[in-house]
mmCIF file of all heavy atoms in Angstrom:
data_model
loop_
_atom_site.group_PDB
_atom_site.id
_atom_site.type_symbol
_atom_site.label_atom_id
_atom_site.label_comp_id
_atom_site.label_asym_id
_atom_site.label_seq_id
_atom_site.Cartn_x
_atom_site.Cartn_y
_atom_site.Cartn_z
ATOM 1 N N VAL E 339 -6.295 1.548 -9.788
ATOM 2 C CA VAL E 339 -6.733 1.207 -8.424
ATOM 3 C C VAL E 339 -7.226 -0.236 -8.437
ATOM 4 O O VAL E 339 -7.603 -0.765 -9.480
ATOM 5 C CB VAL E 339 -7.871 2.123 -7.907
ATOM 6 C CG1 VAL E 339 -7.405 3.548 -7.729
ATOM 7 C CG2 VAL E 339 -9.081 2.065 -8.817
ATOM 8 N N SER E 340 -7.213 -0.838 -7.254
ATOM 9 C CA SER E 340 -7.826 -2.155 -7.130
ATOM 10 C C SER E 340 -8.198 -2.391 -5.675
ATOM 11 O O SER E 340 -7.637 -1.783 -4.770
ATOM 12 C CB SER E 340 -6.885 -3.270 -7.616
ATOM 13 O OG SER E 340 -5.853 -3.501 -6.694
ATOM 14 N N SER E 341 -9.166 -3.259 -5.491
ATOM 15 C CA SER E 341 -9.505 -3.738 -4.150
ATOM 16 C C SER E 341 -9.971 -5.183 -4.294
ATOM 17 O O SER E 341 -10.632 -5.534 -5.265
ATOM 18 C CB SER E 341 -10.577 -2.873 -3.491
ATOM 19 O OG SER E 341 -11.815 -3.031 -4.124
ATOM 20 N N GLU E 342 -9.557 -6.000 -3.349
ATOM 21 C CA GLU E 342 -9.920 -7.417 -3.360
ATOM 22 C C GLU E 342 -10.305 -7.846 -1.961
ATOM 23 O O GLU E 342 -9.722 -7.385 -0.986
ATOM 24 C CB GLU E 342 -8.738 -8.273 -3.816
ATOM 25 C CG GLU E 342 -8.275 -8.026 -5.225
ATOM 26 C CD GLU E 342 -7.085 -8.899 -5.575
ATOM 27 O OE1 GLU E 342 -7.222 -10.146 -5.495
ATOM 28 O OE2 GLU E 342 -6.030 -8.346 -5.902
ATOM 29 N N ARG E 343 -11.261 -8.759 -1.881
ATOM 30 C CA ARG E 343 -11.653 -9.338 -0.594
ATOM 31 C C ARG E 343 -11.004 -10.698 -0.425
ATOM 32 O O ARG E 343 -10.862 -11.450 -1.396
ATOM 33 C CB ARG E 343 -13.161 -9.485 -0.523
ATOM 34 C CG ARG E 343 -13.842 -8.155 -0.321
ATOM 35 C CD ARG E 343 -15.344 -8.313 -0.078
ATOM 36 N NE ARG E 343 -15.949 -7.007 -0.005
ATOM 37 C CZ ARG E 343 -16.155 -6.217 -1.051
ATOM 38 N NH1 ARG E 343 -15.828 -6.602 -2.241
ATOM 39 N NH2 ARG E 343 -16.701 -5.027 -0.890
ATOM 40 N N PHE E 344 -10.609 -10.997 0.804
ATOM 41 C CA PHE E 344 -9.945 -12.264 1.102
ATOM 42 C C PHE E 344 -10.475 -12.844 2.397
ATOM 43 O O PHE E 344 -10.801 -12.106 3.323
ATOM 44 C CB PHE E 344 -8.432 -12.071 1.289
ATOM 45 C CG PHE E 344 -7.715 -11.602 0.062
ATOM 46 C CD1 PHE E 344 -7.426 -10.261 -0.114
ATOM 47 C CD2 PHE E 344 -7.315 -12.502 -0.913
ATOM 48 C CE1 PHE E 344 -6.755 -9.814 -1.240
ATOM 49 C CE2 PHE E 344 -6.640 -12.074 -2.042
ATOM 50 C CZ PHE E 344 -6.359 -10.728 -2.205
ATOM 51 N N CYS E 345 -10.503 -14.158 2.494
ATOM 52 C CA CYS E 345 -10.645 -14.844 3.777
ATOM 53 C C CYS E 345 -9.216 -15.031 4.257
ATOM 54 O O CYS E 345 -8.357 -15.467 3.486
ATOM 55 C CB CYS E 345 -11.329 -16.192 3.605
ATOM 56 S SG CYS E 345 -13.056 -16.037 3.150
ATOM 57 N N ALA E 346 -8.953 -14.681 5.499
ATOM 58 C CA ALA E 346 -7.584 -14.748 6.009
ATOM 59 C C ALA E 346 -7.602 -14.949 7.517
ATOM 60 O O ALA E 346 -8.524 -14.487 8.197
ATOM 61 C CB ALA E 346 -6.838 -13.471 5.656
ATOM 62 N N PRO E 347 -6.582 -15.606 8.051
ATOM 63 C CA PRO E 347 -6.560 -15.879 9.484
ATOM 64 C C PRO E 347 -6.116 -14.709 10.356
ATOM 65 O O PRO E 347 -6.368 -14.707 11.552
ATOM 66 C CB PRO E 347 -5.556 -17.028 9.598
ATOM 67 C CG PRO E 347 -4.638 -16.833 8.438
ATOM 68 C CD PRO E 347 -5.503 -16.278 7.341
ATOM 69 N N SER E 348 -5.459 -13.701 9.753
ATOM 70 C CA SER E 348 -4.926 -12.611 10.572
ATOM 71 C C SER E 348 -4.747 -11.338 9.747
ATOM 72 O O SER E 348 -4.681 -11.385 8.515
ATOM 73 C CB SER E 348 -3.577 -13.015 11.167
ATOM 74 O OG SER E 348 -2.604 -13.104 10.137
ATOM 75 N N PRO E 349 -4.621 -10.200 10.434
ATOM 76 C CA PRO E 349 -4.402 -8.929 9.729
ATOM 77 C C PRO E 349 -3.121 -8.917 8.891
ATOM 78 O O PRO E 349 -3.114 -8.390 7.783
ATOM 79 C CB PRO E 349 -4.321 -7.905 10.863
ATOM 80 C CG PRO E 349 -5.051 -8.516 11.995
ATOM 81 C CD PRO E 349 -4.812 -9.987 11.883
ATOM 82 N N VAL E 350 -2.029 -9.492 9.405
ATOM 83 C CA VAL E 350 -0.774 -9.442 8.660
ATOM 84 C C VAL E 350 -0.864 -10.208 7.346
ATOM 85 O O VAL E 350 -0.223 -9.842 6.354
ATOM 86 C CB VAL E 350 0.423 -9.913 9.522
ATOM 87 C CG1 VAL E 350 0.390 -11.415 9.754
ATOM 88 C CG2 VAL E 350 1.741 -9.496 8.895
ATOM 89 N N VAL E 351 -1.684 -11.239 7.295
ATOM 90 C CA VAL E 351 -1.875 -11.975 6.042
ATOM 91 C C VAL E 351 -2.546 -11.067 5.010
ATOM 92 O O VAL E 351 -2.137 -11.028 3.840
ATOM 93 C CB VAL E 351 -2.683 -13.272 6.266
ATOM 94 C CG1 VAL E 351 -3.090 -13.907 4.939
ATOM 95 C CG2 VAL E 351 -1.880 -14.264 7.102
ATOM 96 N N VAL E 352 -3.544 -10.311 5.415
ATOM 97 C CA VAL E 352 -4.220 -9.400 4.480
ATOM 98 C C VAL E 352 -3.271 -8.282 4.052
ATOM 99 O O VAL E 352 -3.277 -7.863 2.895
ATOM 100 C CB VAL E 352 -5.534 -8.843 5.064
ATOM 101 C CG1 VAL E 352 -6.268 -7.996 4.028
ATOM 102 C CG2 VAL E 352 -6.442 -9.974 5.521
ATOM 103 N N GLU E 353 -2.430 -7.789 4.966
ATOM 104 C CA GLU E 353 -1.429 -6.781 4.591
ATOM 105 C C GLU E 353 -0.478 -7.348 3.535
ATOM 106 O O GLU E 353 -0.142 -6.669 2.570
ATOM 107 C CB GLU E 353 -0.634 -6.322 5.820
ATOM 108 C CG GLU E 353 -1.391 -5.424 6.761
ATOM 109 C CD GLU E 353 -1.557 -3.987 6.279
ATOM 110 O OE1 GLU E 353 -1.163 -3.645 5.136
ATOM 111 O OE2 GLU E 353 -2.101 -3.202 7.063
ATOM 112 N N ALA E 354 -0.036 -8.584 3.733
ATOM 113 C CA ALA E 354 0.847 -9.216 2.748
ATOM 114 C C ALA E 354 0.128 -9.386 1.413
ATOM 115 O O ALA E 354 0.713 -9.162 0.345
ATOM 116 C CB ALA E 354 1.341 -10.565 3.276
ATOM 117 N N LEU E 355 -1.142 -9.757 1.453
ATOM 118 C CA LEU E 355 -1.922 -9.898 0.227
ATOM 119 C C LEU E 355 -2.109 -8.553 -0.479
ATOM 120 O O LEU E 355 -2.175 -8.501 -1.715
ATOM 121 C CB LEU E 355 -3.270 -10.555 0.527
ATOM 122 C CG LEU E 355 -3.192 -12.041 0.895
ATOM 123 C CD1 LEU E 355 -4.526 -12.527 1.481
ATOM 124 C CD2 LEU E 355 -2.773 -12.888 -0.303
ATOM 125 N N ALA E 356 -2.164 -7.464 0.292
ATOM 126 C CA ALA E 356 -2.267 -6.128 -0.314
ATOM 127 C C ALA E 356 -0.985 -5.803 -1.081
ATOM 128 O O ALA E 356 -1.035 -5.270 -2.202
ATOM 129 C CB ALA E 356 -2.542 -5.075 0.757
ATOM 130 N N ILE E 357 0.163 -6.123 -0.508
ATOM 131 C CA ILE E 357 1.432 -5.878 -1.208
ATOM 132 C C ILE E 357 1.539 -6.789 -2.428
ATOM 133 O O ILE E 357 2.010 -6.369 -3.488
ATOM 134 C CB ILE E 357 2.621 -6.050 -0.239
ATOM 135 C CG1 ILE E 357 2.550 -4.948 0.835
ATOM 136 C CG2 ILE E 357 3.954 -6.002 -0.982
ATOM 137 C CD1 ILE E 357 3.533 -5.102 1.973
ATOM 138 N N ARG E 358 1.071 -8.010 -2.304
ATOM 139 C CA ARG E 358 1.046 -8.907 -3.466
ATOM 140 C C ARG E 358 0.136 -8.344 -4.552
ATOM 141 O O ARG E 358 0.483 -8.360 -5.738
ATOM 142 C CB ARG E 358 0.582 -10.309 -3.070
ATOM 143 C CG ARG E 358 0.621 -11.287 -4.233
ATOM 144 C CD ARG E 358 -0.053 -12.621 -3.902
ATOM 145 N NE ARG E 358 0.019 -13.516 -5.039
ATOM 146 C CZ ARG E 358 -0.750 -13.431 -6.131
ATOM 147 N NH1 ARG E 358 -1.677 -12.493 -6.237
ATOM 148 N NH2 ARG E 358 -0.616 -14.306 -7.119
ATOM 149 N N ALA E 359 -1.039 -7.830 -4.169
ATOM 150 C CA ALA E 359 -1.965 -7.238 -5.147
ATOM 151 C C ALA E 359 -1.317 -6.046 -5.857
ATOM 152 O O ALA E 359 -1.503 -5.866 -7.067
ATOM 153 C CB ALA E 359 -3.269 -6.820 -4.458
ATOM 154 N N ALA E 360 -0.554 -5.239 -5.119
ATOM 155 C CA ALA E 360 0.146 -4.112 -5.739
ATOM 156 C C ALA E 360 1.199 -4.606 -6.729
ATOM 157 O O ALA E 360 1.355 -4.045 -7.815
ATOM 158 C CB ALA E 360 0.798 -3.251 -4.657
ATOM 159 N N THR E 361 1.897 -5.682 -6.380
ATOM 160 C CA THR E 361 2.917 -6.252 -7.259
ATOM 161 C C THR E 361 2.279 -6.829 -8.523
ATOM 162 O O THR E 361 2.787 -6.638 -9.634
ATOM 163 C CB THR E 361 3.727 -7.326 -6.515
ATOM 164 O OG1 THR E 361 4.185 -6.791 -5.267
ATOM 165 C CG2 THR E 361 4.927 -7.770 -7.325
ATOM 166 N N VAL E 362 1.150 -7.491 -8.377
ATOM 167 C CA VAL E 362 0.419 -8.022 -9.531
ATOM 168 C C VAL E 362 -0.055 -6.878 -10.428
ATOM 169 O O VAL E 362 0.089 -6.940 -11.659
ATOM 170 C CB VAL E 362 -0.774 -8.901 -9.082
ATOM 171 C CG1 VAL E 362 -1.707 -9.213 -10.242
ATOM 172 C CG2 VAL E 362 -0.279 -10.181 -8.423
ATOM 173 N N LEU E 363 -0.611 -5.825 -9.826
ATOM 174 C CA LEU E 363 -1.090 -4.685 -10.610
ATOM 175 C C LEU E 363 0.069 -4.040 -11.369
ATOM 176 O O LEU E 363 -0.059 -3.722 -12.553
ATOM 177 C CB LEU E 363 -1.789 -3.668 -9.703
ATOM 178 C CG LEU E 363 -2.458 -2.483 -10.384
ATOM 179 C CD1 LEU E 363 -3.539 -2.927 -11.363
ATOM 180 C CD2 LEU E 363 -3.060 -1.552 -9.323
ATOM 181 N N ALA E 364 1.214 -3.865 -10.705
ATOM 182 C CA ALA E 364 2.392 -3.291 -11.373
ATOM 183 C C ALA E 364 2.816 -4.166 -12.549
ATOM 184 O O ALA E 364 3.123 -3.666 -13.638
ATOM 185 C CB ALA E 364 3.538 -3.143 -10.378
ATOM 186 N N SER E 365 2.796 -5.463 -12.351
ATOM 187 C CA SER E 365 3.184 -6.396 -13.406
ATOM 188 C C SER E 365 2.198 -6.378 -14.567
ATOM 189 O O SER E 365 2.594 -6.333 -15.735
ATOM 190 C CB SER E 365 3.280 -7.803 -12.821
ATOM 191 O OG SER E 365 3.638 -8.729 -13.800
#
Side-chain angles (χ1 to χ4, degrees):
V339 294
S340 74
S341 69
E342 297 179 59
R343 286 187 185 74
F344 296 98
C345 291
S348 69
V350 72
V351 170
V352 185
E353 286 284 5
L355 289 167
I357 294 172
R358 183 189 180 283
T361 309
V362 168
L363 185 60
S365 180

